[in-house]
Structures are given as C-alpha cells and as structure tokens.
C-alpha cells in the first residue's frame, strides 16, 4: 500500500470523496491519478492508461481539452466567483435551452444531485402533492428522498419503500415509491391506485447506473401518457444522457416530452455544474419569481460556465456525434469479439458512446433484477488485469464505460488488446 493511500484512508472514509472510487468491489488497490491528457490518464507510478471512465461521464472531449483549459484559464484571470450573474451564465443557459424545445428557462446548480433534488421540490411546489415515483436501478443523486429502493414487495402497492442508506428517515423514504423498469402492468396498476397523489415520476430515460438498461419505447411512452393523465410531472434525469447520446439527450433521441429535465456532468465540462430545465410556466414557481426556494453560493460561477460553454461549442462541430457513434461501435465490436473468443459469457450493450459489459449469458437485461450477481464477481476479477495492461475501467460491474472525442480507433484497439489479455487471465 502506498503511503499516500494510507494517508488517504486515515483522513477520508475509504480514502475517497465518493464511495465507488475506493475499489471496494474489484480486486486490487486504487492508483492515484496525477494527470489526464486526451484519452489517457497517468498514475503516480508513471503508467499510462486508456481511460474509459471519463470522470464518470463529463469528459466527452477527453482530458484537458485545450479549448476548455484555455476558456477556464481566461475566466480565472478575471476572478473565480462573484456571486452575481455573469454573461457566460446567460450564454450557457441559452445554448442548453436551445437543445430542449418546450423548456424555456433553467436554473444552474453545482451537481446532478442538487439538480434532481431541486426538480423534485419544484414538482411538489407546483402540484401541491408530495409523493414521487422512481424506478429500481435508477440513480438520481444522494438526496434523502431519492436514495430509496423498494423492499422485497416492490410490486405490492402500499408496501412503501425502504431507505437504501442509513440516515434516511423513514418518514422521507415513505414519500418515494419504487417500481421495476420495463413493467407496463405494474405501472398501470400503480397509477390506478396512487397516480392522483403523485407530484412527479422520475426516470433516467436511458438508465445507466445499474448497467445500461435500455428501455422499450412503449414503456417510456406509457409513462408519459399515465403521468400526464394523472397530473404528475415527468422528470427526465439526463445527468448522464444529456449532450451524451444527442445534444438534446434522450429527450431528443427518443422523442420524449418531459416536464422537467435535469442535467449535469457534460454541461459543466469537468467543473461542478448541474441544471434543471422546464417551461416558463413551471419555472415561475422558482424563487425569486415564486415560492419554491433554491439557491447556491457557487451556482453559475464563471469558471464552470466557461468550461461548459467551451465543451458545448466543441460538440456543435458537425461531425461530433457521428464520430462518437463510430468510435462507440468500434469499441462495441471489439469487446464483443473478445468476449466471444473467451470463455467468459457476456454481451455488450451500447447506446452511442455509452457502453456496458453485461457479463452474463442470454439477452441483455432491461431491469436491475435481471442482472446476475455473479457478473460482478467476474468483473471484480477482471478489473485488476485490465488495469495492469493499461486499461482504466470503472471499478464496478454496474458502471458504464464512456468513449470521448479524444479517443480514436488506434487508442481503442489498445484498450481492446488489454481487455482480451485480461479476459484470458480470468479464464486461467
Ligand atoms: N442523476 C444521474 C442519472 C446520475 O448518473 C448522477 C451521478 N452519476 C446523478 C444524478 C448525481 O449527480 P452528481 O454526482 O453530480 O451529484
């Protein structure tokens, strides 16, 4: 164990500022990253790794993109934060809203967690209702009311939901109901019973926090139909999918009509940013226009806005999303071929530049309950071998991989060679 790792573990729980970074579910110790450049990260032993984590999603341009670094440096020279609206804030808001028709206004916050938490408050304030519905396997940040998953009787209306973290009061958890994804019957039954009590339904339209659970269009359409019919607001949490699978995220790509969209990650270009977007009619409820209070000392600060603006400008280049698609397809093919040539069962699930290794036989899962726990054990054994060969994968079987515009086919081939080598070790 390195001295730095010991020091980290002595002064921070697990040695980390966010739990999954601790490598708890994979073998081996977490290296320290000292530098990132394009598609690579470099650890403190001087080793170069092909990065498929991308800081968990924001780095769609890769590490330290010159345009982003320059924009942040330029902004920093004029001051780090003013606690007053800056021009870059207006420009970024306009640029984001242009991609989400029907959403007239937004509010910037400093994380995805804050964006979704505030969106729920807005939904409750606007509807005068308290109950919310989420789906098993969807992550919406760590605010109390959303850190909830169903108990074993999750299909049974009235069972309520249990907190999935200590410290979440039952009284709060009881306001959040949880249903399985991909189950139209459970959805219909739920709305018949509870639909009229619902302030909001939250979904990751492309669930990417328990593997990549691609939903059937009919399920998403039914969710829209039922929520509208019962006066519940539909919140599409696009913290991962926004500007990732299309400029207008899953909303654009799947033709959805959410009432509120939440964003994070890419819109901050690697700086801490989140945002929630809605119609002017809804956003009128937000302070200072209305009674739904929500604020932030560093919200909309000029550095974060500059990073977001520079990132979105690069993404507006004509070829950007076609290139992400091409690179994603290249990686998907290579991973699938490597799996087929090994005796590790599995398939690759991909939407654009988001990929997930489903290390289990059969059809790719659409619900978190269909994910075989044995897959996590295989992944946990595979991970250190990939790392030793210079492939930086998320240290959890349930996390997805991200390709950036800084990757190219040759770099991905290096990643694929490392992956094949790691698979051979697992077989051995
Ligand atoms: N929503 C989704 C869909 C997410 O994936 C995440 C984080 N991975 C969040 C919300 C929370 O964002 P943050 O970590 O920035 O608080």
């Amino acid at each position: 164990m390195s001295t730095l790792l010991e020091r980290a573990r002595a002064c921070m729980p697990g040695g980390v500022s966010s739990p999954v970074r601790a490598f708890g579910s994979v073998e081996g110790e977490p290296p320290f990253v000292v530098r990132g450049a394009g598609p690579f990260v470099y650890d403190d032993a001087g080793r170069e790794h092909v990065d498929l984590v991308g800081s968990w999603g924001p780095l769609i341009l890769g590490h330290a993109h010159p345009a982003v670094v320059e924009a942040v440096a330029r902004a920093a020279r004029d001051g780090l934060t003013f606690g007053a609206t800056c021009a870059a804030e207006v420009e970024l808001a306009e640029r984001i809203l242009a991609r989400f028709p029907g959403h007239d206004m937004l509010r910037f916050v400093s994380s995805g967690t804050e964006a979704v938490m505030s969106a729920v408050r807005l939904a409750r304030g606007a509807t005068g209702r308290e109950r919310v519905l989420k789906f098993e396997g969807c992550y919406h940040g760590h605010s109390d009311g959303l850190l909830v998953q169903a108990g074993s009787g999750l299909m049974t209306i009235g069972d309520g939901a249990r907190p999935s973290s200590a410290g979440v009061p039952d009284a709060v958890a009881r306001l959040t109901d949880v249903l399985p994804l991909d189950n139209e019957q459970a959805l219909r039954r739920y709305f018949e019973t509870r639909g009229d009590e619902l302030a909001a339904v939250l979904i990751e339209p492309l669930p990417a926090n328990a593997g990549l659970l691609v939903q059937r269009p009919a399920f998403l359409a039914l969710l829209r139909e039922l929520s509208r019919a019962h006066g519940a607001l539909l919140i599409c949490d696009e913290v991962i999918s926004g500007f990732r699978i299309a400029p207008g995220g899953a909303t654009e790509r799947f033709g959805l009509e959410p009432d509120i969209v939440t964003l994070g990650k890419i819109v901050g270009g690697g700086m801490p940013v989140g945002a929630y977007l809605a119609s002017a009619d809804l956003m009128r409820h937000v302070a200072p226009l209305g009674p739904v209070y929500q604020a932030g000392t560093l919200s909309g600060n000029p550095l974060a806005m500059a990073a977001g603006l520079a990132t979105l400008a690069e993404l507006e280049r004509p070829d950007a999303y076609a290139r992400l698609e091409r690179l994603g397809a290249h990686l998907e093919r290579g991973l699938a071929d490597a799996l087929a040539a090994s005796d590790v069962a599995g398939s690759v699930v991909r939407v654009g530049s988001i990929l997930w290794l489903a290390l289990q036989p059969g059809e790719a899962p659409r619900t978190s309950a269909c994910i075989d726990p044995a897959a996590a054990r295989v992944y946990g054994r595979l991970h250190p071998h990939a790392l030793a060969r210079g492939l930086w994968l998320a240290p959890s079987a349930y996390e997805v991989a991200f390709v950036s515009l800084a990757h190219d086919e040759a770099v991905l081939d290096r990643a694929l060679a490392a992956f094949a080598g790691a698979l051979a070790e697992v077989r051995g």
Side-chain angles (χ1 to χ4, degrees):
M1 198 190 285
S2 82
T3 313
L4 194 54
L5 190 55
E6 282 170 359
R7 282 169 55 202
R9 287 177 175 165
C11 63
M12 302 184 290
V16 294
S17 298
S18 193
V20 74
R21 298 178 193 173
F23 276 43
S25 61
V26 296
E27 292 173 11
E29 305 282 15
F32 282 82
V33 177
V34 294
R35 190 166 74 87
F40 304 113
V41 287
Y42 299 86
D43 67 25
D44 58 351
R47 292 180 307 171
E48 180 180 81
H49 305 269
V50 177
D51 180 18
L52 293 181
V53 181
S55 191
W56 308 89
L59 299 185
I60 197 163
L61 306 182
H63 293 268
H65 188 284
V68 179
V69 172
E70 177 51 34
V72 172
R74 205 178 323 114
R77 282 193 285 272
D78 287 334
L80 303 186
T81 170
F82 311 126
T85 302
C86 62
E89 211 173 333
V90 182
E91 277 173 43
L92 185 58
E94 287 172 348
R95 203 178 277 237
I96 291 171
L97 289 167
R99 297 301 192 171
F100 289 87
H103 298 259
D104 313 305
M105 298 174 115
L106 65 72
R107 169 62 56 81
F108 284 118
V109 292
S110 295
S111 68
T113 294
E114 274 184 86
V116 188
M117 180 184 81
S118 310
V120 169
R121 187 177 303 145
L122 168 57
R124 286 178 167 146
T127 60
R129 301 173 179 182
E130 292 193 337
R131 187 169 291 285
V132 299
L133 171 67
K134 72 179 284 292
F135 293 93
E136 198 187 351
C138 287
Y139 179 66
H140 302 291
H142 64 88
S143 67
D144 278 357
L146 298 177
L147 213 54
V148 168
Q149 66 189 13
S152 55
L154 69 118
M155 310 276 286
T156 319
I157 305 298
D159 255 14
R162 286 205 316 258
S164 56
S165 163
V168 174
D170 275 343
V172 174
R174 269 198 296 274
L175 292 175
T176 306
D177 290 325
V178 185
L179 286 180
L181 288 161
D182 191 43
N183 188 330
E184 294 181 24
Q185 201 189 350
L187 195 61
R188 283 186 201 280
R189 221 165 43 217
Y190 176 88
F191 269 92
E192 277 167 24
T193 320
R194 288 263 176 89
D196 294 343
E197 295 172 41
L198 268 188
V201 189
L202 296 106
I203 190 165
E204 286 179 77
L206 177 60
N209 278 289
L212 190 61
L213 304 172
V214 180
Q215 296 302 291
R216 297 171 215 270
F219 180 75
L220 296 173
L222 183 64
L223 189 58
R224 176 64 285 186
E225 181 192 318
L226 291 173
S227 52
R228 192 172 272 145
H230 290 267
L233 300 179
L234 177 61
I235 301 176
C236 278
D237 183 354
E238 299 233 44
V239 166
I240 286 183
S241 52
F243 289 94
R244 168 61 69 176
I245 59 171
T251 298
E252 174 186 331
R253 185 143 168 171
F254 304 152
L256 308 177
E257 293 176 1
D259 298 297
I260 307 178
V261 170
T262 54
L263 296 172
K265 299 195 191 268
I266 290 173
V267 293
M271 298 286 287
V273 178
Y276 58 104
L277 295 56
S279 66
D281 219 33
L282 269 177
M283 292 303 277
R284 259 208 324 265
H285 294 270
V286 177
L289 297 182
V292 176
Y293 192 73
Q294 184 273 306
T297 300
L298 297 176
S299 298
N301 75 80
L303 264 62
M305 299 296 103
L309 270 175
T311 300
L312 298 201
E314 289 300 315
L315 288 174
E316 280 178 12
R317 291 178 188 273
D319 187 41
Y321 287 90
R323 177 177 168 83
L324 286 167
E325 176 65 31
R326 207 165 57 238
L327 293 173
H330 184 83
L331 185 59
E332 177 189 9
R333 252 190 327 271
L335 292 171
D337 288 350
L339 279 170
S342 79
D343 37 50
V344 174
S347 57
V348 184
V349 186
R350 179 180 73 88
V351 177
S353 55
I354 311 178
L355 295 96
W356 178 54
L357 291 165
L359 296 181
Q360 62 188 64
E363 215 179 291
R366 288 185 198 276
T367 69
S368 54
C370 293
I371 300 177
D372 182 352
R377 290 192 287 277
V378 177
Y379 188 90
R381 282 164 49 215
L382 179 83
H383 191 272
H385 295 293
L387 194 62
R389 286 164 174 75
L391 172 56
W392 191 266
L393 290 171
S396 161
Y398 301 103
E399 298 286 346
V400 293
F402 295 105
V403 178
S404 80
L405 286 170
H407 290 83
D408 60 24
E409 277 83 355
V411 167
L412 293 178
D413 287 343
R414 274 174 59 183
L416 289 167
F419 181 68
L423 276 177
E425 295 283 349
V426 170
R427 180 175 35 194

